[in-house]
Amino acid sequence: MDVDGADAAEPERSGGPPADQLARLLDRADNGAAAARELAAVRSALMHHCGLQSCRHTKGPPRRMNRRTFRHSFLLPDGGVRVVWELEHDTGPDAAPHRSVFTEQEELTLAEWEVDTAFGGSTGPREMPYGVADGLPRQQAGKGEQDTLPAAGPENALRRAYAEGDSAEHARRLLRRAANAGAPGGEVGTRLCSAIAHDINIVTRRSTQVAGRLVSWSLYEHAFLLLDGSELSLWEIDHTRTPSGDPVCEVYASQDAALDTAIRRIEAG
């Protein structure tokens, strides 16, 4: 599924000598001057690679916002690799892009949590505390909470710009291609027959190495406006954690359940 935001680094983050890449990285970062002292040895790097590690996007409310995390890897003369993370977002009151550089995974994770509070939802450290074992946030919600359907009511209705279309058919196709045995159905499918408009929004995407193979996943929210004015969302995980590496689709009734699947199963080593 194509969405706004590239899966790879833009030209400003790729190409050119490693020393120049480091200089541009530090120059555009708000904390670049402080980080430069810690990264002095990286100026002698032989190679540089940058890739998009994770991202979040929202169309609103209150406005369109973006957060992206880039992973910069520098190959040093002694054969070691120095990893530097770049966090870019426009969630501040001024809506301007801000960038920060991090050399520690723990500091990056905390900074992402702070930025992601602007998106709302259960993304804070209380729900997803830092996973010491593998550097990944861990979902702590109980199974009963994960399996709860999103509330549908006037307080959730019309919270976004919906596009009219064959929304009931879109819901039917989404549920039909779900590969997971626990995909929503029954009552949910019946309610979606009355969908009159829908909106698709990417929530986050990640890529990671699992057993020596690159695995990627993306989380989408499919929000449906129903005939009675209420709203119902389904959460789609597209991932490549399959024996063949081919992408598959899984659908869940809640965001927590979808994230739990992505982090605990798809990214599990």
Side-chain angles (χ1 to χ4, degrees):
M1 181 178 296
D2 188 24
V3 296
D4 294 333
D7 281 325
E10 293 93 338
E12 69 172 351
R13 295 183 173 89
S14 61
D20 291 350
Q21 283 294 327
L22 177 65
R24 289 199 291 270
L25 170 64
L26 296 175
D27 182 62
R28 62 179 175 261
D30 295 340
N31 63 338
R37 295 188 292 271
E38 185 179 352
L39 296 172
V42 181
R43 294 191 181 96
S44 62
L46 304 177
M47 295 181 63
H48 165 261
H49 174 76
C50 177
L52 182 66
Q53 176 170 296
S54 68
C55 68
R56 290 196 68 176
H57 307 285
T58 181
K59 299 177 183 177
R63 58 177 172 81
R64 186 182 185 89
M65 294 186 294
N66 301 277
R67 189 271 290 166
R68 300 187 295 175
T69 300
F70 294 92
R71 178 188 174 100
H72 296 261
S73 301
F74 294 90
L75 176 64
L76 305 181
D78 63 1
V81 176
R82 186 65 187 271
V83 177
V84 181
W85 290 273
E86 179 183 9
L87 177 64
E88 175 187 84
H89 70 94
D90 58 4
T91 63
D94 58 0
H98 292 274
R99 303 172 182 89
S100 300
V101 172
F102 298 90
T103 58
E104 299 293 336
Q105 178 78 57
E106 292 88 346
E107 295 178 358
L108 168 69
T109 301
L110 291 174
E112 287 179 325
W113 277 334
E114 291 179 1
V115 169
D116 286 357
T117 57
F119 292 86
S122 56
T123 57
R126 181 164 55 184
E127 289 79 21
M128 297 179 66
Y130 182 73
V132 177
D134 55 10
L136 295 173
R138 292 299 192 181
Q139 192 70 17
Q140 297 296 315
K143 184 177 187 303
E145 179 183 349
Q146 294 167 6
D147 293 340
T148 301
L149 288 176
E155 67 278 6
N156 289 329
L158 299 177
R159 65 180 177 88
R160 70 189 75 215
Y162 282 97
E164 294 185 3
D166 198 352
S167 301
E169 176 62 18
H170 172 76
R172 188 185 67 82
R173 291 197 303 266
L174 174 64
L175 293 175
R176 185 177 61 185
R177 69 173 179 262
N180 54 313
E187 179 187 353
V188 173
T190 300
R191 290 179 62 192
L192 288 173
C193 289
S194 67
I196 57 175
H198 66 280
D199 177 67
I200 307 172
N201 187 33
I202 185 169
V203 178
T204 188
R205 57 170 47 151
R206 287 178 62 95
S207 60
T208 187
Q209 291 285 335
V210 177
R213 180 165 66 90
L214 183 66
V215 172
S216 62
W217 61 268
S218 301
L219 171 63
Y220 302 91
E221 180 188 11
H222 297 255
F224 297 91
L225 181 64
L226 307 184
L227 189 60
D228 61 3
S230 63
E231 179 187 76
L232 188 152
S233 288
L234 294 178
W235 305 86
E236 175 190 7
I237 291 278
D238 286 345
H239 70 87
T240 59
R241 183 71 191 274
T242 58
S244 64
D246 294 331
V248 297
C249 160
E250 300 187 17
V251 180
Y252 295 88
S254 73
Q255 182 178 6
D256 283 349
L259 286 173
D260 186 68
T261 290
I263 295 170
R264 290 186 182 276
R265 180 165 60 81
I266 297 174
E267 290 197 1

